[in-house]
Amino acid sequence: MRIDVFTLVPHAFASLTEQRPLATVLGSELDLRLHSYRDTTPLRAGQVDDEPYGGGAGMVLRVDVVAAALDAVYGGAPPARVVALSPQGRQLTQEVVEDLARESHVALLSARFEGFDERIVAHLCTDEVSIGPYVLSNGDLPAMVVLDAIARRLPGALAEGSGELESFSVSLGGGLEYPHYTRPPEFRGWMVPDVLLSGDHGRIEAWRRDRVR
Ligand SMILES: C[S@@+](CC[C@H](N)C(=O)[O-])C[C@H]1O[C@@H](n2cnc3c(N)ncnc32)[C@H](O)[C@@H]1O
């Protein structure tokens, strides 16, 4: 799968690319390309934003700047999914992640300041996605959230089987995963449930099933 990220700060993604699971699939299952709007802006001095029509505080990411960035990379043939990260977007869920992870090529667009000129969302994007009902300073963290969530769905990203029985997965009926425990079996009087130490796989399965929320 190829994912292009359009941002003002490509190096912000460095820490993510050094960590698993993204690092595991990078260069094999995942072709990640980071693009700066400033590299292709048609404006002077690397300008990418402008004052809002109608007045008000803050700057708005310009439509001609984003169009130039997309044209430079795609030459007029963008991928099937071009996603604007924005608080106004459809809320990110595991379903949205699975949907995007099925694509062979996705573009993620990050903004900052006051956000996108609305014509970017209306005419240059296919999707508008929010990572939650709160406002962050820019779309880089949201893009990283989407990237990480997609990367762990790609073949080879996770240890065999560990992605199957997860919260929100089909195997758990879309529910939340059961609790986990590890050694020691007792700590400060806090006990691991007896059933998990019993070695009885049938009872363990039943106990876990009962705790899926
Ligand atoms: C400071 S925010 C803009 C907030 C906008 N003026 C508003 O009130 O909705 C700048 C950028 O950060 C990104 N962003 C902030 N919060 C987000 C969220 N919850 N989900 C996705 N992107 C977000 C978007 O790219 C947004 O355009």
Side-chain angles (χ1 to χ4, degrees):
M1 176 177 191
R2 173 172 161 186
I3 302 182
D4 291 304
V5 179
F6 293 83
T7 169
L8 285 165
V9 194
H11 63 261
F13 290 77
S15 64
L16 186 69
T17 59
E18 287 162 6
Q19 292 172 45
R20 287 193 290 176
L22 212 131
T24 311
V25 288
L26 210 53
S28 52
E29 292 293 332
L30 179 63
D31 175 5
L32 175 65
R33 304 188 194 184
L34 303 169
H35 310 276
S36 169
Y37 297 118
R38 291 199 201 285
D39 289 346
T40 48
T41 178
L43 308 174
R44 279 185 297 151
Q47 184 187 347
V48 295
D49 56 347
D50 228 316
E51 295 161 355
Y53 281 124
M59 301 291 271
V60 177
L61 187 59
R62 286 177 56 134
V63 63
D64 49 353
V65 168
V66 173
L70 295 175
D71 284 349
V73 175
Y74 305 125
R81 305 293 285 275
V82 179
V83 182
L85 280 321
S86 149
Q88 287 80 33
R90 169 167 66 130
Q91 202 105 337
L92 187 67
T93 60
Q94 191 63 31
E95 211 180 330
V96 174
V97 170
E98 303 291 344
D99 178 37
L100 291 173
R102 275 191 288 271
E103 299 287 343
S104 59
H105 190 180
V106 170
L108 302 176
L109 271 53
S110 165
R112 50 180 56 218
F113 324 118
E114 277 306 309
F116 297 100
D117 181 306
E118 192 57 26
R119 291 168 291 183
I120 297 168
V121 179
H123 302 290
L124 299 178
C125 297
T126 58
D127 298 72
E128 188 179 18
V129 168
S130 164
I131 65 159
Y134 42 81
V135 178
L136 296 165
S137 306
N138 62 69
D140 293 338
L141 282 173
M144 287 185 222
V145 167
V146 175
L147 251 177
D148 183 84
I150 292 177
R152 63 201 313 289
R153 302 309 302 155
L154 298 179
L158 302 177
E160 189 86 20
S162 67
E164 304 312 317
L165 273 179
E166 279 197 318
S167 295
F168 315 115
S169 64
V170 174
S171 317
L172 294 186
L176 298 172
E177 202 187 31
Y178 47 80
H180 297 282
Y181 296 85
T182 185
R183 294 185 187 88
E186 180 272 327
F187 181 72
R188 295 183 180 168
W190 307 329
M191 308 301 293
V192 171
D194 283 342
V195 59
L196 298 180
L197 307 174
S198 69
D200 182 335
H201 294 295
R203 279 182 62 216
I204 292 172
E205 273 298 299
W207 182 90
R208 287 178 166 167
R209 244 192 337 269
D210 284 349
R211 275 150 191 85
V212 170
R213 287 174 283 143

